Amino acid sequence: MELLRRKIREKGIVVDEDVLKVDSFLNHCIDPKLMQAIGKEFADRFRHDGVTKILTIESSGIAPAVFTGLELDVPVVFAKKDLSRNMSCDIYDACVHSFTKGRDYMVCVSKEYLNDTDKVLIIDDFLANGRAAAGLGELVIMSGASVAGIGVVIEKGFQKGGSLLREMGFRVEALAIIDSMSENGIIFRNEEEKRK
Amino acid sequence: MELLRRKIREKGIVVDEDVLKVDSFLNHCIDPKLMQAIGKEFADRFRHDGVTKILTIESSGIAPAVFTGLELDVPVVFAKKDLSRNMSCDIYDACVHSFTKGRDYMVCVSKEYLNDTDKVLIIDDFLANGRAAAGLGELVIMSGASVAGIGVVIEKGFQKGGSLLREMGFRVEALAIIDSMSENGIIFRNEEEKRK
């Protein structure tokens, strides 16, 4: 997605060869027009896959997910990282390791929002080690629903999450895949090649 | 906002006279079309107030905020409840007490996303005791920016947050104000009367 790659080139900050800071448009300050374009792109890629629900994870997945949900006209469920008093005890949960935060956390979804007739599109902002997406996939499978695919805004192609999820049989669509990054710049994987 | 009141009547679950569960369309499972309508309504109410930025708080404020940001064509910043490794140390922070979760938590925003020329519209899903909105207001004031107003999806009119914030001089716009609720139903404040 050229618009996104341009934004990453212009506004992304390469902190080191593993860490890309995109909080000026994606995960702290949000560019709503870009999110709308991202939602349209995800919707185009999954429009013929019978998606009935979108599942994402708080908080940075919510903006791209709601615009995708609007385009596909399906509800968006966001998995929570802790239990609120208002949440039913009847939940699916899975343990996810965050390399960014250096700890494990639980992700959970009320059972009432995933059921065995659902075809679920998982959306998230980043794919690096793939733990968050795999955790969301686990929740979907527990519910008896099926996974239509996984859509991520930015994939760190040099980390193993993408290949891991694809080997598990998931269809993964990344709107920008970074093959490497350094103080000299960001190298994106050729998108055309990727989508063959 | 009649569409919202209808949704609350149809899908909201009155747990007790203080707690309304709206996680089937607002804060766990999200109805994207309703969020788009909410964004348009907030935008209409604040369109002539020179808003330059929207500030919300993770996670349930994000969906209504991004649609408002899209309509007003301004960036949306979401305050975080904990510090991630990728976040700059240069932050504004404030302490907020959550009655729902029964504890205090910090809210923080990178200094680079609020500045003294900003006119900030604060958006959140619920207004009850007003602590979250007041905390966000504190962050805005610390930055030297001004608060254009506070937009909340649902105000619990029987709790003191709304009057507290209005007494502090903030303009508060609630899309639905609940005067009372019980097993017999939900009583909304007359919207026309409210907007005079």
Side-chain angles (χ1 to χ4, degrees):
Chain A
M1 189 185 172
E2 186 44 38
L3 176 68
L4 173 65
R5 287 195 295 265
R6 204 164 60 228
K7 194 85 173 189
I8 296 170
R9 271 193 209 98
E10 282 169 12
K11 302 275 186 182
I13 296 168
V14 178
V15 177
D16 58 41
E17 58 187 19
D18 280 335
V19 178
L20 175 69
K21 200 165 166 265
V22 288
D23 63 3
S24 65
F25 60 92
L26 182 58
N27 48 26
H28 184 21
C29 186
I30 298 170
D31 175 340
K33 281 194 171 158
L34 179 66
M35 292 305 125
Q36 185 184 41
I38 283 171
K40 284 183 179 165
E41 180 69 28
F42 279 135
D44 284 347
R45 294 192 187 193
F46 290 97
R47 203 175 293 281
H48 305 294
D49 296 280
V51 173
T52 62
K53 213 161 265 173
I54 288 170
L55 178 64
T56 186
I57 184 166
E58 59 182 357
S59 295
S60 310
I62 295 174
V66 289
F67 284 107
T68 311
L70 184 72
E71 281 295 314
L72 292 177
D73 196 14
V74 297
V76 175
V77 180
F78 65 90
K80 302 202 174 190
K81 291 180 182 167
D82 65 357
L83 287 170
S84 78
R85 200 182 71 175
N86 294 5
M87 205 166 166
S88 153
C89 292
D90 224 11
I91 55 163
Y92 300 112
D93 59 4
C95 181
V96 170
H97 180 75
S98 166
F99 288 88
T100 313
K101 300 197 175 177
R103 60 176 167 85
D104 289 344
Y105 59 94
M106 298 303 292
V107 289
C108 52
V109 169
S110 284
K111 285 188 178 174
E112 55 194 311
Y113 301 125
L114 283 180
N115 61 65
D116 58 9
T117 58
D118 276 324
K119 209 162 170 195
V120 180
L121 170 58
I122 293 169
I123 296 281
D124 206 2
D125 59 336
F126 261 101
L127 170 58
N129 288 282
R131 301 299 176 92
L136 294 180
E138 240 182 274
L139 300 179
V140 174
I141 289 159
M142 276 179 213
S143 74
S146 62
V147 177
I150 299 173
V152 294
V153 180
I154 302 173
E155 177 179 347
K156 292 177 178 171
F158 54 91
Q159 291 192 12
K160 62 185 178 193
S163 14
L164 197 81
L165 293 169
R166 289 177 182 101
E167 279 161 21
M168 287 166 78
F170 293 119
R171 173 179 162 206
V172 180
E173 291 281 341
L175 304 190
I177 303 181
I178 295 172
D179 268 340
S180 69
M181 54 189 191
S182 69
E183 58 194 10
N184 300 321
I186 298 170
I187 311 289
F188 291 99
R189 190 167 305 170
N190 181 298
E191 190 175 54
E192 291 317 306
E193 185 191 337
K194 169 67 207 61
R195 299 195 61 193
K196 272 176 197 161
Chain B
M1 190 185 172
E2 186 44 40
L3 176 68
L4 174 65
R5 287 195 295 267
R6 204 165 58 228
K7 194 84 175 189
I8 295 170
R9 270 193 210 98
E10 282 169 11
K11 303 275 187 180
I13 295 168
V14 178
V15 177
D16 58 42
E17 57 186 21
D18 281 334
V19 178
L20 175 69
K21 201 164 166 266
V22 288
D23 64 3
S24 66
F25 59 92
L26 183 58
N27 46 24
H28 185 21
C29 185
I30 299 169
D31 175 339
K33 281 194 172 158
L34 178 66
M35 293 304 125
Q36 184 185 42
I38 283 172
K40 284 183 180 164
E41 180 69 28
F42 279 135
D44 284 347
R45 295 193 187 192
F46 290 97
R47 203 175 294 282
H48 305 294
D49 296 281
V51 173
T52 63
K53 214 161 264 173
I54 289 170
L55 179 64
T56 187
I57 184 166
E58 60 182 356
S59 295
S60 310
I62 296 175
V66 289
F67 283 108
T68 312
L70 184 72
E71 280 296 313
L72 292 176
D73 196 13
V74 298
V76 175
V77 180
F78 65 91
K80 301 200 174 191
K81 291 180 182 168
D82 66 356
L83 287 169
S84 78
R85 201 183 70 176
N86 295 4
M87 205 166 165
S88 153
C89 292
D90 224 11
I91 56 164
Y92 301 112
D93 58 5
C95 181
V96 171
H97 180 76
S98 165
F99 288 89
T100 314
K101 300 197 175 178
R103 59 176 167 85
D104 290 342
Y105 59 93
M106 298 302 292
V107 289
C108 52
V109 168
S110 285
K111 286 189 177 173
E112 56 194 311
Y113 301 126
L114 284 180
N115 61 66
D116 59 9
T117 58
D118 276 324
K119 209 162 170 194
V120 180
L121 171 58
I122 293 169
I123 296 282
D124 207 1
D125 58 338
F126 261 102
L127 171 58
N129 289 282
R131 302 299 176 93
L136 295 180
E138 240 183 274
L139 300 180
V140 174
I141 289 158
M142 277 180 212
S143 75
S146 62
V147 176
I150 298 172
V152 294
V153 180
I154 302 174
E155 177 179 346
K156 291 177 178 171
F158 54 90
Q159 291 192 13
K160 60 184 179 193
S163 15
L164 196 81
L165 293 170
R166 289 176 182 101
E167 278 161 22
M168 288 166 78
F170 293 119
R171 173 178 162 207
V172 180
E173 290 281 342
L175 304 191
I177 303 181
I178 295 172
D179 268 340
S180 69
M181 53 189 193
S182 69
E183 57 193 8
N184 300 321
I186 298 171
I187 311 291
F188 291 99
R189 189 167 306 172
N190 181 297
E191 190 175 53
E192 291 318 303
E193 185 191 338
K194 169 65 206 67
R195 299 195 61 192
K196 273 176 199 160

